[in-house]
């Protein structure tokens, strides 16, 4: 069979068949799709791995980084035997204990995350196949020959066209189903095996996300790894409120694309000319990747306040991270809602088959709150026409009070404190509302940047005070004018960039690759994400970002009032700051780690997951930070990074995910690796100490970011550079030298020059001795040892 | 703090209802807890970021932590960046993150005090972010049967074995002082 995957099912046509029992003419037999692949590289040991295929690798990881469980609920409520009390060693009716139950819930969360991205990729692929055909090539430009590293690594095949991607998604769907099945009552019962399956389905999640992003990049003309992707605007103040506005919320860009296209085709110009098109959450990133004139309203935390502002004239919701009360909230501001995805219909009538004009009339006349329209092209027409007609009708509708109405609303407050108790972050909403009742709105306004926009304060208020709206009203000026600069999501890291930085990353001379990813449940003002990103880019780390975190970075301003995206270059280079794109762009970050192993170190990629993950864990100083992680998708994204050997730090709310992967450095055996050159076992110190860690404060997070980029493979120069950053940050925030220096300093040459005397004195007092084998070829895989002892 | 307080022994954060086993909060908590500390063989005090942020009528929470520690020679584990506050006060502490210390406390052979026999049999929490502390307490409730936990914050913590009730700052100050007095 010719190169690449064969498209579609194999067809056998038999003109005339005669056997002892059968006689047939023109018999056509279809036997599914066969994977026929050119031999671009010898096939590795685990192509298309099943749940068990990489279990031994998982157990190696979990031997060092043991699951740490913090049950969020002591009971199991999943079957009719229950509720079962699993407190402190009790078992449920099915025999499960609390430890296994935590692993089970973690697996469930990761399955939800992986299923969501896989379904997203499938839905988008079907749309793109209809528009572009299955032979549309996967071309990421001349500087990306290693096209889909995760797919190549996990599946062992190299897709050539978008039609091939369907086959990859078949695999993802199958694995998600298997892993989800393992959570059924009376299936898996061991915590470590639950974790292994969570790691597996999360690896699959990265494949699915890669498919989702690559298919939209290659068809829709998104930037293909462009370090100079344009800067665009973000913030609630970035839209011209005198123009009609369509607001797209969610993650699936198909309807947004059709809105922009409909405007172009119907002489309505680009977004921003006659009318505005803006996005909220990840679909906003992808809209600006398609049309840089589109606007980004902000992360998910800004959703409720923006809907209530009444600025949008039509809202289109697609999938994921949409407020499930969006229709009800929008109805109060007379904003019609179009639900464009079968996974989120919100009880709206399905008008997909109705003519455009009929649907628009129903929406404009407020006969219905909204409509389900499954045809993205029709969504484009309906949303545009509806916004144009609605704008003059509903100019003054909003549910956020005016400044002079705040005091009246707040005066109902009995100061019961229920709002504060219901706030995920214990924000002093009670004190702020009480102050407003007495005429001082400053405390309310101060909460604006801290509030994660969940609205739980209002749900708890017995006086039905619209507290979230009061916060927005008190910060009215900021809400209406805040506008920042963010770089459009650039997509993959180029092969040429990897060739330039592969060596300094692996040797430690670029101190690390830091990835700010995940959602908007931030424990501190959203500017803190930008503060951290700025600090690490300034220090010469390569800083990458996706999703709501990539947005939050834009809200930070330096002393000259510049966004970090205006200060740092957009390349995968020392001191670069990359907005990679939306949630489904996350694999470009893990792909960069894979490509370092493949392109720089020439490790085989095809179906060779374990060896590449071993390489990344021991050599690539990368660390993910999901400071505001909230969703199940964030759980699977992080766990997928973990299986590849990349540690992740989460904000303190992350302990509600119930599980961390923590090392105990005093267990020296678990922190020992093979030296592939000598065959000896060598203690490597805390490099890295944990695989999933929680930081309580931003300062702690920064210190641990520097620490978790340390790897056993660092050269002395590299270790010295990494320790310089670690020691500087530790001293700044903790006030003295870190106590684990004796384990991290292998020879005197590792000691940061600026702290030489101080560190030497400290080491001497601690009885430090130079490590016997400071330079090793580290691996957890005994089969890679070249010399047996 | 609100003038109308939540019920004293309902979980401070709404819906943080873990299960059938929730913390006890006796009427005379300061003296009961002090008695438990005096009976403990190897108690430990873990403090979080609020010890540097909270101020009770001019006295920082960190000062209370140091007084508790001094009174019964209880080692302090300073989590997150609170170490700096203790260095400024020249008071010796063990620096470790909350998840690191809780992880180790599951191990009955672990102790931060080499001069005392493991395990730590009583662990006091003070000044840790509510939800973070709640989850750490949950770990200890389930996986550290060899120890008991007491929270000294102004919030009722259902995942502890023993907890102060929900209260305002004035009462909290009074309770902390009674507790220290009774040690």
């Amino acid at each position: 069979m010719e190169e690449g995957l064969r498209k579609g099912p194999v067809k056998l046509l038999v003109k005339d068949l005669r056997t002892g029992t059968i006689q047939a003419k023109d018999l056509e037999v279809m036997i599914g799709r066969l994977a026929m692949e050119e031999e671009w590289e010898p096939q590795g040991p685990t192509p298309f791995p099943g749940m068990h295929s990489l279990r031994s690798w998982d157990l190696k990881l979990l031997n060092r980084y043991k699951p740490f469980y913090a049950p969020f609920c002591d009971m199991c409520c999943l079957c009719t035997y229950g509720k079962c009390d699993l407190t402190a060693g009790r078992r449920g009716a099915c025999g499960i204990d609390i430890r296994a139950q935590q692993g089970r819930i973690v697996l469930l969360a990761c399955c939800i995350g992986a299923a969501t991205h896989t379904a997203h990729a499938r839905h988008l692929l079907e749309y793109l196949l209809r528009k572009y055909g299955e032979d549309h090539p996967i071309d990421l430009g001349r500087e990306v020959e290693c096209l889909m590293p995760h797919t190549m690594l996990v599946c062992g095949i190299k897709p050539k066209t978008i039609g091939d991607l369907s086959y990859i998604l078949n695999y993802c769907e199958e694995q998600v189903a298997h892993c989800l099945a393992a959570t059924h009552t009376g299936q898996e019962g061991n915590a470590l095996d639950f974790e292994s399956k969570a790691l597996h389905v999360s690896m699959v999640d990265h494949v699915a996300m890669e498919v989702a992003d690559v298919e939209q990049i290659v068809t829709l003309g998104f930037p293909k790894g462009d370090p100079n992707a344009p800067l665009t605007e973000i913030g609630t103040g970035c839209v011209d409120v005198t123009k009609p506005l369509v607001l797209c919320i969610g993650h699936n860009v198909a309807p947004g694309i059709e809105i922009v296209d409909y405007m172009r085709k119907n002489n309505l110009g680009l977004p921003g000319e006659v009318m505005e098109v803006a996005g909220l959450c990840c679909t906003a990133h992808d809209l600006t990747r398609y049309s840089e004139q589109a606007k980004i309203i902000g992360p998910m935390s800004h959703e409720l306040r923006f809907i209530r502002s009444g600025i949008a004239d039509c809202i289109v919701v697609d999938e994921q991270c949409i407020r499930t009360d969006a229709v009800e909230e929008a109805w109060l501001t007379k904003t019609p809602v179009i639900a464009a995805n079968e996974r989120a219909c919100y009880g709206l009538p399905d008008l997909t088959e109705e003519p455009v004009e009929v649907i628009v009339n129903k929406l404009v006349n407020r006969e219905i709150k909204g409509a389900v329209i499954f045809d993205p092209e029709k969504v484009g027409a309906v949303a545009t026409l509806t916004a144009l007609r609605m704008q003059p009708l509903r100019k003054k509708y909003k549910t956020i009070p005016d400044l002079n109405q705040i005091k009246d609303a707040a005066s109902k407050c009995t100061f019961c404190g229920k709002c504060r108790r219901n706030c995920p972050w214990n924000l002093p909403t009670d004190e702020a509302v009480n102050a407003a009742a007495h005429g001082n709105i400053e405390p309310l306004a101060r909460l604006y940047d801290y509030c994660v926009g969940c609205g739980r304060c209002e749900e708890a208020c017995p006086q039905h005070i619209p507290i979230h709206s009061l916060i927005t009203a008190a910060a009215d000026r900021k809400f209406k004018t805040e506008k920042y600069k963010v770089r459009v999501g650039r997509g993959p890291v180029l092969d040429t960039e990897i060739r330039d930085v592969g060596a300094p990353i692996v040797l430690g001379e670029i101190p690390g690759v830091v990835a700010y990813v995940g959602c908007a449940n931030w424990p501190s003002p959203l500017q803190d994400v930008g503060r951290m990103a700025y600090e690490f880019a300034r220090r010469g780390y390569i800083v990458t970002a996706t999703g709501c975190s990539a947005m939050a970075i834009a809200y930070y301003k330096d002393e000259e009032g510049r966004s970090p995206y205006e200060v740092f270059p957009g390349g995968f280079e020392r001191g670069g700051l990359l907005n990679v794109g939306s949630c489904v762009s996350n694999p470009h970050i893990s792909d960069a780690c894979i490509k370092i192993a493949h392109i720089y170190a020439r490790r085989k990629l095809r179906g060779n997951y374990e060896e590449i993950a071993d390489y990344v864990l021991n050599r690539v100083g990368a660390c993910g930070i999901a400071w505001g992680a909230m969703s199940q998708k964030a759980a699977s994204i992080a766990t997928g990074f973990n299986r590849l050997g990349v540690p992740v730090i989460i904000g303190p709310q992350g302990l509600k995910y119930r599980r961390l992967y923590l090392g105990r450095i005093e267990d020296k055996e678990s922190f020992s690796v093979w030296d592939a050159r000598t065959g000896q076992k060598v203690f490597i110190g805390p490099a890295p100490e944990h695989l999933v860690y929680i930081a309580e404060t931003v300062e702690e997070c920064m210190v641990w970011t520097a620490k978790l980029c340390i790897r056993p493979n660092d050269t002395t120069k590299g270790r010295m550079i990494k320790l310089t950053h670690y020691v500087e940050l530790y001293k700044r925030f903790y006030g003295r030298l870190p106590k684990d220096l004796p384990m991290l300093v292998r020879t005197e040459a590792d000691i940061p020059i600026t702290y030489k005397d101080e560190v030497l004195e400290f080491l001497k007092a601690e009885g430090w001795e130079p490590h016997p084998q400071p330079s090793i070829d580290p691996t957890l895989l005994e089969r890679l040892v070249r010399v047996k002892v | 703090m609100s003038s109308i307080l939540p019920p004293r022994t309902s979980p401070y954060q709404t819906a943080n209802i873990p299960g059938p086993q929730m913390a006890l909060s006796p009427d005379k908590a300061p003296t009961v807890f002090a008695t438990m500390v005096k009976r403990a063989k190897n108690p430990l005090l873990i403090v979080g970021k609020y010890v540097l942020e909270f101020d009770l009528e001019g006295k920082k929470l960190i000062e209370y932590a140091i007084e508790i520690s001094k009174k019964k020679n209880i080692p302090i584990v300073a989590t997150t960046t609170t170490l700096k506050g203790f260095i400024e006060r020249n008071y010796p502490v063990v620096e470790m993150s909350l998840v690191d210390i809780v992880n180790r406390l599951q191990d009955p052979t672990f102790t931060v005090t080499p001069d005392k026999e493991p395990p730590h049999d009583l662990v006091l929490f003070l000044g840790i972010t509510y939800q973070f502390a709640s989850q750490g307490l949950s770990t200890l409730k389930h996986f550290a049967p060899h120890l008991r936990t007491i929270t000294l914050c102004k919030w009722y913590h259902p995942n502890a074995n023993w907890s102060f009730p929900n209260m305002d700052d004035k009462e909290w100050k009074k309770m902390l002082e009674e507790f220290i007095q009774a040690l």
Side-chain angles (χ1 to χ4, degrees), chain A residues 69-71 74 88 415-417 421 424 426 430-431 656 664 666 690 693 696-697 700 730 732 734 739, chain B residues 1-2 4 6 10-14 18 80 84 95 97 100 104 107 129 131-132 135 138-139 141-143:
Chain A
Y69 291 121
D74 301 344
F415 212 5
C416 69
R421 288 179 64 197
N426 198 24
D430 52 348
E431 292 171 8
K656 295 180 189 173
R664 278 186 68 179
E666 60 269 37
H690 301 307
Y693 178 78
E696 190 178 3
T697 61
E700 183 183 355
Y730 195 95
R732 191 204 303 175
Y734 287 73
K739 65 180 186 309
Chain B
M1 190 66 177
S2 297
I4 302 172
S10 68
Y12 173 76
Q13 197 161 72
T14 314
T80 188
K84 207 167 186 175
E95 184 274 312
S97 73
D100 274 325
R104 284 167 173 80
D107 176 357
T129 306
Q131 55 181 319
F132 197 34
Q135 290 301 100
S138 172
T139 299
K141 175 167 80 174
H142 288 283
F143 306 119

Side-chain angles (χ1 to χ4, degrees), chain A residues 10-326:
Chain A
V10 172
K11 292 179 185 175
L12 298 176
L13 185 62
V14 182
K15 296 298 286 182
D16 192 359
L17 177 66
R18 290 172 192 273
T19 71
T21 52
I22 302 173
Q23 287 192 353
K25 284 189 176 180
D26 295 328
L27 177 69
E28 189 174 303
V29 181
M30 299 169 74
I31 54 173
R33 180 185 288 265
L34 294 182
M36 296 298 288
E37 182 79 349
E38 63 172 318
E39 287 301 308
W40 50 276
E41 192 174 278
Q43 186 62 278
T46 55
F48 289 108
M51 277 192 298
H52 64 285
S53 309
L54 291 159
R55 184 171 179 257
S56 64
W57 169 248
D58 298 335
L59 295 180
K60 283 185 176 69
L61 283 178
L62 298 172
N63 177 51
R64 184 192 291 173
Y65 305 110
K66 295 184 171 55
F68 166 95
Y69 291 121
F72 199 30
C73 175
D74 301 344
M75 296 181 289
C76 177
C77 319
L78 290 177
C79 83
T80 62
Y81 285 127
K83 302 177 180 178
C84 290
D85 174 16
L86 306 180
T87 308
R90 295 182 182 91
R91 288 181 183 270
C94 68
I96 203 163
D97 66 11
I98 190 77
R99 199 177 293 276
Q101 176 71 358
Q102 302 317 296
R104 185 185 184 195
I105 299 293
V106 168
L107 172 58
L108 196 54
C110 292
C111 283
I112 293 171
T116 305
H117 288 136
T118 305
H120 174 176
R122 174 67 78 187
H123 184 270
L124 195 57
L125 182 61
E126 285 169 0
Y127 162 73
L128 295 171
L129 287 173
R130 282 197 301 276
K131 279 192 84 152
Y132 298 93
E134 65 173 19
D135 290 328
H136 188 92
I138 296 174
D139 176 4
L140 290 171
R142 286 166 56 191
E143 293 182 70
V144 184
E145 286 182 8
C146 186
L147 282 172
M148 297 180 69
H150 245 100
T151 301
M152 290 151 73
L153 177 66
V154 174
C155 303
I157 60 173
K158 188 191 277 187
K160 293 267 173 60
T161 68
I162 62 169
D164 295 341
L165 300 178
S166 186
Y167 189 48
I168 309 299
L169 291 178
N170 288 347
Y171 165 72
C172 296
E173 287 155 354
E174 180 192 37
Q175 294 307 306
V176 171
H178 282 308
C179 290
L180 183 57
T183 66
H184 191 273
T185 302
Q187 294 264 45
E188 188 55 81
N190 177 273
L192 287 182
D193 273 312
F194 274 124
E195 293 297 345
S196 173
K197 291 172 174 64
L199 290 161
H200 179 70
V201 81
S202 302
M203 173 194 73
V204 169
D205 183 38
H206 278 243
V207 176
M209 286 190 287
E210 186 179 70
V211 169
D213 208 36
V214 166
E215 68 196 18
Q216 60 183 1
I217 291 172
V218 299
T219 53
L220 299 174
F222 288 6
K224 294 177 175 176
D226 179 6
N228 299 309
L231 292 168
T232 190
E233 289 185 342
I234 180 172
T236 43
C238 73
V239 287
D240 180 349
V241 295
T242 65
K243 292 175 180 161
L245 167 65
V246 180
L247 174 67
C248 300
I249 304 176
H251 287 70
N252 190 323
V253 78
I257 297 295
E258 294 295 345
I259 292 165
V260 174
D261 284 355
Y262 182 87
M263 287 165 57
R264 279 185 189 144
K265 288 175 194 163
N266 290 276
N267 300 320
L268 292 167
L270 296 169
E273 292 181 5
V274 175
M275 59 186 290
E276 295 272 17
V277 180
L280 220 151
C281 216
C282 278
T283 207
H285 275 307
D286 290 340
L287 263 176
T288 59
R289 294 165 89 186
Y290 187 64
S291 167
E292 64 186 271
Q293 291 81 15
K295 308 283 173 53
I296 302 176
I297 297 301
M300 190 189 173
S301 51
H302 290 44
E303 187 172 338
L304 188 56
R305 64 178 67 150
F306 197 78
I307 293 175
R308 288 181 177 181
S309 75
I311 295 172
D313 297 299
C314 180
I315 294 175
V316 177
V317 297
D318 50 79
E319 61 173 310
Q320 305 161 46
C321 304
I322 308 156
R323 283 194 65 92
T324 50
D325 58 358

Side-chain angles (χ1 to χ4, degrees), chain A residues 417-439:
Chain A
K418 287 183 178 170
C419 52
R420 186 175 187 160
R421 288 179 64 197
N422 212 34
C423 171
W425 291 105
N426 198 24
L427 294 178
T429 46
D430 52 348
E431 292 171 8
V433 173
N434 195 256
H438 293 88

Side-chain angles (χ1 to χ4, degrees), chain A residues 397-416:
Chain A
Y397 290 108
K398 60 173 188 171
T399 50
I400 294 174
D402 291 328
L403 274 173
N404 56 14
Q405 296 171 316
I406 294 176
K407 188 175 175 184
D408 283 349
S411 64
K412 295 179 198 161
C413 176
T414 59
F415 212 5
C416 69

